[in-house]
Amino acid sequence: MKVKLPRFNKNTRQLVLFRGMRYFEEQRMKQISNHDHTYVYEVKGEVNKYEVVINVAQDDTIVFSSCTCPYEDGGFCKHQVAAYFDILNEQGRLHLDDYKNSLTLKEKHPSKPVPEGWSKEDYLELQKFNVKNYMSTFTKEELMDLMVMYMKQDMKLFMYLFHHYMVEEEKNKIKGLN
Ligand SMILES: [Zn+2]
């Protein structure tokens, strides 16, 4: 997917975008060289260091972008994202807030049971995740907005809620049930 440098978010998964933003804030990237619109970075991951190579055309299009990390879940990886933020920052045109609710690469397989862009460590985190504790941190209004947002991404959740509604409606029709 051809995208302009400031719009790299269009080819980045949401989770990856925010991880790259954190990497940028933590200054994990180091610019090794910058010649003829070709940037080479070394980015410190959780364990290893990776090399990012980016080439940007005169018109801002990302011509070439690669990273030596093993990420392959679609779109750019967090190391490339950290480097993009650094280039934009160096050019004095980085507005982090623009990326807060920006358009990101959508799930290619909505029927997959989990969203994409997860690392092995994320699956380990999942086992410690307490749904009820987390849900209790939202107001009812916020929870409703969240539900609606995810229903738009995955019809299954909507279908189950609709099914629940129909079951309840049927129950209400039965006089002998309270
Ligand atoms: Zn990478």
Side-chain angles (χ1 to χ4, degrees):
M1 185 193 273
K2 283 265 174 280
V3 286
K4 305 253 176 180
L5 179 61
R7 295 275 73 89
F8 71 84
N9 48 289
K10 287 189 190 168
N11 189 41
T12 308
R13 299 218 184 270
Q14 199 179 31
L15 186 62
V16 176
L17 176 80
F18 289 115
R19 286 202 170 136
M21 198 182 278
R22 174 169 61 85
Y23 272 27
F24 168 70
E25 282 196 340
E26 293 171 355
Q27 289 290 297
R28 284 168 178 259
M29 63 284 148
K30 195 171 92 190
Q31 196 177 88
I32 304 297
S33 65
N34 169 8
H35 300 293
D36 300 323
H37 308 284
T38 298
Y39 304 83
V40 178
Y41 277 89
E42 187 183 86
V43 185
K44 243 181 98 196
E46 302 306 323
V47 182
N48 298 310
K49 280 180 182 167
Y50 300 106
E51 191 183 72
V52 172
V53 180
I54 301 158
N55 178 264
V56 183
Q58 289 282 6
D59 73 349
D60 238 6
T61 303
I62 298 173
V63 179
F64 177 83
S65 187
S66 76
C67 179
T68 52
C69 83
Y71 176 81
E72 49 179 28
D73 216 353
F76 302 123
C77 68
K78 58 192 172 187
H79 313 106
Q80 291 170 83
V81 170
Y84 298 151
F85 279 135
D86 192 64
I87 296 170
L88 290 167
N89 188 44
E90 193 182 82
Q91 297 172 348
R93 51 182 184 141
L94 175 62
H95 310 283
L96 271 190
D97 278 349
D98 290 353
Y99 297 91
K100 224 168 113 187
N101 300 302
S102 67
L103 196 71
T104 50
L105 189 61
K106 287 281 165 281
E107 308 300 327
K108 284 233 171 60
H109 313 285
S111 59
K112 263 183 83 168
V114 295
E116 295 174 334
W118 287 29
S119 67
K120 245 187 233 162
E121 290 74 24
D122 294 323
Y123 283 94
L124 295 175
E125 275 296 306
L126 183 65
Q127 293 160 17
K128 296 182 260 164
F129 183 62
N130 186 311
V131 183
K132 280 192 174 173
N133 278 357
Y134 186 58
M135 284 176 90
S136 68
T137 65
F138 296 96
T139 66
K140 188 183 171 186
E141 200 68 27
E142 288 169 336
L143 266 186
M144 281 168 62
D145 286 345
L146 265 186
M147 291 278 283
V148 170
M149 182 179 89
Y150 286 118
M151 279 179 206
K152 282 178 183 166
Q153 284 181 33
D154 191 341
M155 280 294 285
K156 245 187 289 176
L157 187 55
F158 170 78
M159 289 301 194
Y160 278 118
L161 193 73
F162 180 62
H163 179 79
H164 187 84
Y165 162 79
M166 287 199 300
V167 170
E168 292 300 308
E169 284 289 288
E170 284 306 315
K171 272 199 223 161
N172 288 338
K173 286 177 193 162
I174 304 167
K175 299 258 184 322
L177 277 179
N178 286 300

